[in-house]
Each structure stands twice: as structure tokens, then as C-alpha cells.
Amino acid sequence: MCKTGRESTQHAVEATPSLDLIFELLSNQRRRYALYTLYEQSDGVATVEELTDSIVSFERRYAESASSAESPSTAIHRQHSSHADSQVAGEDQHQIVETELQHVHLPKLEEVGVIEHDRRSQTVRYWSQPSLEEWLEHAHHKERRARTDH
């Protein structure tokens, strides 16, 4: 997750966010997933659709790793769920994530100057924030490790 040559995404943030604000921003899993995605882009830019897809993908991977640790009877019961139900649930999840992203997470990140959300083009630009990135990298490392430990 370390970045070495980020294209011009440096933006003068008014002040370094407080530790409380950083932890508040990182306290929500979907907001962290969006930040992971933006941070990993060479130019710090992604569309709302790309962010939504990425968040849904993160959540599915986490659910799969958690389900691999479940009991055999629970796994058998889950296998009997219909494919159509899971497809509808996936579409619903995508819509829920996108709505939450647009109305909760992006406005919060924009309010503190971490991102810029262009509603017309539906693009999001991450503005480099070293103090946030330090904790973001730590959180990403811990979540990857937790997924593999299941």
C-alpha cells in the first residue's frame, strides 16, 4: 500500500487532522475501503462506481474468509441458498453501498478536505494527507491479516 510516485494529488489541507478526526474517519469499514481504493490509485482518482464496486468486493472477500471459519452445518445450510437470491442480494448491496457512499461517506471526507467529489462527473479525487495515510496503511495491513487468519 506504500506509495512512491503519486501524480499531482498534493493539495494544501488547511491543517493536519487531529488524531480523533483520523480515527473517526477510519472508524467506518466502508469509508476505510473507499480510502484504500483511492490511495492505491496512481493519480488518487476513481469514479463513484469504481469505489462502490471496490467496497462491495472488499465486503465479499471479508465475508468469504469469515465463512471459511464457520461450522460445517452452517456452510451446508448456506450452500442451499438459491443463486437468484444471492444475485438479488448482491444488486441490493451494491445500491445500498452506493447510496451510503454518496450521502454519508463522501460528504464527510469532503468536509474535512481529504477528498474532492465532483458530482457532475461522479469522480472522486483523494488529496494526500500523510498523517491519515500512516493510520490508513496500518488499518489496511491489520484487515488483510485478519482476513487471512480466519
Side-chain angles (χ1 to χ4, degrees):
M1 186 150 179
C2 283
K3 286 293 179 191
T4 52
R6 180 178 289 281
E7 292 179 20
S8 62
T9 59
Q10 297 295 335
H11 181 272
V13 177
E14 293 296 317
T16 301
S18 70
L19 197 54
D20 287 343
L21 178 58
I22 289 171
F23 288 147
E24 181 183 338
L25 294 175
L26 298 179
S27 69
N28 181 278
Q29 187 176 44
R30 288 181 174 162
R31 198 162 37 242
R32 281 193 313 276
Y33 292 166
L35 286 168
Y36 296 158
T37 302
L38 288 165
Y39 184 65
E40 290 173 347
Q41 304 303 311
S42 63
D43 60 358
V45 177
T47 66
V48 171
E49 185 68 23
E50 290 168 338
L51 289 175
T52 302
D53 290 345
S54 181
I55 292 167
V56 169
S57 177
F58 270 112
E59 289 179 349
R60 284 187 183 140
R61 280 183 287 184
Y62 185 77
E64 287 170 6
S65 66
S67 69
S68 67
E70 66 190 14
S71 71
S73 62
T74 305
I76 291 169
H77 176 71
R78 201 170 34 75
Q79 286 176 348
H80 286 83
S81 298
S82 76
H83 179 69
D85 287 346
S86 65
Q87 186 175 359
V88 170
E91 291 170 6
D92 288 345
Q93 180 189 17
H94 193 274
Q95 185 60 48
I96 289 166
V97 168
E98 185 174 339
T99 300
E100 187 177 300
L101 193 60
Q102 295 260 23
H103 296 283
V104 178
H105 303 304
L106 296 180
K108 183 170 195 77
L109 292 168
E110 190 170 37
E111 178 183 307
V112 299
V114 173
I115 61 134
E116 181 180 332
H117 177 201
D118 183 340
R119 286 154 187 78
R120 191 175 51 83
S121 67
Q122 288 300 299
T123 57
V124 179
R125 176 179 298 276
Y126 169 73
W127 297 114
S128 183
Q129 182 50 256
S131 58
L132 172 65
E133 290 163 10
E134 176 183 351
W135 293 103
L136 184 66
E137 287 180 358
H138 184 70
H140 195 237
H141 173 75
K142 288 292 193 183
E143 285 187 307
R144 276 195 317 252
R145 178 183 257 172
R147 277 198 308 265
T148 59
D149 288 348
H150 276 110

